[in-house]
């Protein structure tokens, strides 16, 4: 407790009594939504460029940096593209942490290294 003059300040103690469980739940939801990334817009031209970049990385067997968006989070994968599967609409990436299958609809950025 801090005393300055005649006023006794209890600091954070006075605020905890005002926080209802409903408030805390809403604050947690608000913080969770605040951390989500908006889905990037990918038009047909961008999809064409992504396809070309994927094919080049696959043919040359070079490492590629693939950025995906899934459930509000951006994820980046680095590795060689070992398989393109048009029937499943997925690609397989062999990276330092093993093999990963990535859905083509989640990809919004590809860069060959």
């Amino acid at each position: 407790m801090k005393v300055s003059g005649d006023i006794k300040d209890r600091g954070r103690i006075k605020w905890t009594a005002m926080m209802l469980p409903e408030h805390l739940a809403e604050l947690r939801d608000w913080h969770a939504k605040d951390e989500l990334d908006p889905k990037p817009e990918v038009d047909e031209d961008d999809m064409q460029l992504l396809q070309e970049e994927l094919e080049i990385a696959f043919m040359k067997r070079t490492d590629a940096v693939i950025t995906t968006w899934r459930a509000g989070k951006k994820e980046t994968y680095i590795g060689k593209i070992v398989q393109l599967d048009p029937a499943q609409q997925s690609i397989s990436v062999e990276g330092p942490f093993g093999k990963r299958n990535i859905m083509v609809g989640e990809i919004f950025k590809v860069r060959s290294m």
Side-chain angles (χ1 to χ4, degrees), residues 66-84:
I66 301 169
T67 308
T68 63
W69 183 89
R70 181 183 304 150
K73 301 277 184 191
K74 292 180 182 176
E75 297 179 12
T76 302
Y77 302 97
I78 300 173
K80 292 184 181 6
I81 299 172
V82 293
Q83 182 180 6
L84 296 173

Side-chain angles (χ1 to χ4, degrees), residues 80-84 90-94 99-102:
K80 292 184 181 6
I81 299 172
V82 293
Q83 182 180 6
L84 296 173
S90 68
I91 62 170
S92 296
V93 177
E94 184 75 41
K99 190 174 182 180
R100 300 282 308 221
N101 288 330
I102 302 171

